[in-house]
Amino acid sequence: MTQDAGTARQRLSVADLEAWVRRSAELITEHAEELTDLDAAIGDADHGANMKRGLAAAVDTVGAGGFTAADALLKKVGTTLVSTVGGASGPLYGTFFLRTGSALAGQAGSDGLDAQALADGLEAGVGGIAARGRATAGEKTMLDAWRPALEALRAHPGDLAAGVAAAARAAAAGRDATKPMVATKGRASYLGERSVGHIDPGAASTALILAALDDVVAGRTA
Ligand code: ADP
Ligand code: MG
């Protein structure tokens, strides 16, 4: 099933997932300098460059792919990110896409993913980030954007467009909520209390990836 740009989706096709990767790359590239500036404040100033490089490689992978199944596509994106992003965030985002893909094996079919299937997939992916990073909510990491996004999506089980729009808003709010937190995981934790007052770069990139998904679901991408 294909849908035109301009039409809100109630199901995500493989082509929509490819569009998600492409839109994520666009938004990450547009905001790469901001991500690096955030990382300069509480890390080592590489998050924007890391993510830009990784998403560009993911776009190449997707473009070369001829994918017909959601799980194969997302798993390939995951392995690409693991091998190209680097830093702490490469394995974490890589694990996210690998686990999301695995959870969706056989689910997308020709009709695509509905809100419930997407939420199940994302839950597995977010669980993968938590396991890999040994992180929990409130530690000033990307999880503080992913967790509220997942909850927001779950609150709209029958409405993909409303759920993803709410998830994107919740991720942005989660990103902003990392500002007063003390980092207790990753490089920023070396700063302890001095990490307070800065937004976490990984939470900021997660908010962009969810904004990209919202753009696709709302039909704002080509
Ligand atoms: P590095 O810190 O190795 O330079 P990046 O700058 O690319 O890697 O990514 C940093 C981001 O990774 C942080 O802003 C945070 O969101 C995320 N992160 C780091 N460590 C963890 C962890 N243990 N669990 C979850 N997220 C983490
Ligand atoms: Mg860094």
Side-chain angles (χ1 to χ4, degrees), residues 39 43-47 50 187:
D39 198 28
D44 58 354
D46 65 354
H47 191 59
N50 287 348
R187 218 174 265 282

Side-chain angles (χ1 to χ4, degrees), residues 38-95:
L38 294 174
D39 198 28
I42 58 169
D44 58 354
D46 65 354
H47 191 59
N50 287 348
M51 293 297 289
K52 193 174 151 180
R53 181 174 62 243
L55 268 301
V59 168
D60 288 347
T61 300
V62 161
F67 291 99
T68 54
D71 59 317
L73 169 78
L74 293 171
K75 283 192 262 184
K76 188 68 185 172
V77 169
T79 54
T80 302
L81 295 180
V82 168
S83 61
T84 56
V85 175
S89 59
L92 292 166
Y93 275 122
T95 300

